[in-house]
Amino acid sequence: MNKVYPDAKSALDGVVKDGMMVMSGGFGLCGIAETLSDALRETGVKNLTVVSNNAGVDGIGLSRLLETRQIKKMISSYVGENKLFAQQYLAGELELEFNPQGTLAERIRAGGAGIPGFYTKTGVGTLIAEGKEVKEFNGEKYIMETGLVADLAIVHAWKGDTAGNLVYRKTARNFNPMMATAAKVTIAEVEHLVPAGEIDPDHIHTPGIFVQRIIAVDPALKRIEQRTTRKRA
C-alpha cells in the first residue's frame, strides 16, 4: 500500500471527525507535528479531545486549534507556557485532565501495548487520585490509571521511509514514539523522506507497521520556545 501523501490536507482526508481523540507528539515546540496540526485546524473538525504533554505556546501548533475553539478537552501534564490555554480553562471553556508527566507517558505506552490499566504510586493522596481505584501492594498504596488509545496520532520525525519507518532526532523523540503506537491511525510528518530500505533497521525508532500515512515537510523550520541570550563584551 502507498503510505506517502502529497500534503497534510490529503493525509487527513477521510480520517478526521467531530468528537475524536487526537494524540499530538512533541514537548513544547520540540518535535511537534506543526504542519499536521495546522491542517487539522483547516478541516474545521470540532469537539476534539487532545492528548499532548502541553499545548505549546500561543500562536503555534495546538494553540492555533485553541484559537478556533476546536479543542473541547486537553489531557496534558504541563500547560504553563500558553496564555490562551489558561484563559479558556479558567473561564470554563476548556476541559482539562491533568496527569503527572511520567503517568501520561505510561498511559500512552500502555494503550499502544494493549494494557487497559496499571497501578502507580504517583499521585497517591493528592487531587490526582480523586475518583480512582486505590489498591495496596506490599504495604504501599497505588492508584489505578487507564491506558489511552486515540482515533488519530500526529507525530513528527527527522527521517522516514516510504514504508513508514521513522527515526526521531534527539529530544524530539519525547512523546512521538509512544503515540505512534497508541492510535487507530498514525500520520507522520518527516523532514527527510527516503526510499524503503535506506534506513538501517537498528536505527529505526518506530516501525512502519504503526504508521498508516506519511508526508514530507520543510526541514528548515525550527522554532525556539525560549530564547535566552547574554550581553556580549
Side-chain angles (χ1 to χ4, degrees):
M1 61 180 290
N2 179 29
K3 297 184 178 182
V4 180
Y5 284 70
D7 51 42
K9 180 180 179 181
S10 60
L12 289 169
D13 187 42
V15 174
V16 297
K17 61 181 180 180
D18 291 346
M20 71 189 305
M21 179 184 283
V22 179
M23 288 184 179
S24 180
F27 188 111
L29 297 182
C30 182
I32 64 170
E34 185 178 348
T35 300
L36 284 166
S37 64
D38 281 352
L40 196 59
R41 168 180 160 134
E42 295 305 314
T43 67
V45 66
K46 54 185 183 294
N47 294 326
L48 297 174
T49 295
V50 177
V51 182
S52 181
N53 179 66
N54 59 301
V57 301
D58 295 275
I60 301 172
L62 292 177
S63 187
R64 285 171 49 76
L65 288 164
L66 290 174
E67 292 172 356
T68 50
R69 302 296 198 274
Q70 288 170 263
I71 299 177
K72 176 184 178 183
K73 178 180 179 179
M74 289 287 301
I75 301 177
S76 303
S77 69
Y78 175 69
V79 296
E81 299 298 329
N82 194 305
K83 294 178 182 178
L84 180 59
F85 190 123
Q87 290 170 0
Q88 290 186 11
Y89 172 64
L90 293 173
E93 300 169 352
L94 178 68
E95 297 177 42
L96 173 60
E97 183 178 334
F98 259 133
N99 283 209
Q101 198 165 87
T103 299
L104 179 62
E106 182 61 10
R107 290 186 71 190
I108 297 165
R109 190 204 68 81
I115 299 170
F118 59 93
Y119 289 93
T120 176
K121 288 182 69 175
T122 305
V124 171
T126 72
L127 292 174
I128 297 296
E130 287 189 359
K132 297 175 182 175
E133 178 187 338
V134 178
K135 196 167 184 176
E136 193 170 300
F137 296 91
N138 300 319
E140 299 283 349
K141 290 183 178 179
Y142 294 75
I143 59 175
M144 190 181 81
E145 297 281 0
T146 56
L148 290 169
V149 178
D151 298 294
L152 170 67
I154 53 174
V155 300
H156 180 100
W158 170 65
K159 182 184 285 187
D161 67 20
T162 54
N165 298 300
L166 306 177
V167 179
Y168 309 99
R169 187 171 187 272
K170 300 184 177 182
T171 52
R173 228 162 137 175
N174 49 60
F175 282 83
N176 283 300
M178 300 90 81
M179 289 184 173
T181 70
K184 297 172 185 175
V185 175
T186 294
I187 305 177
E189 58 179 61
V190 303
E191 297 177 33
H192 304 281
L193 182 61
V194 299
E198 188 166 314
I199 302 175
D200 185 330
D202 285 339
H203 295 166
I204 292 170
H205 297 136
T206 295
I209 190 70
F210 294 111
V211 179
Q212 284 71 46
R213 302 182 180 189
I214 190 168
I215 63 168
V217 296
D218 183 1
L221 182 63
K222 295 287 188 295
R223 299 186 187 276
I224 298 174
E225 185 172 354
Q226 299 280 359
R227 189 186 297 273
T228 303
T229 61
R230 62 179 173 82
K231 291 182 179 180
R232 299 187 182 277

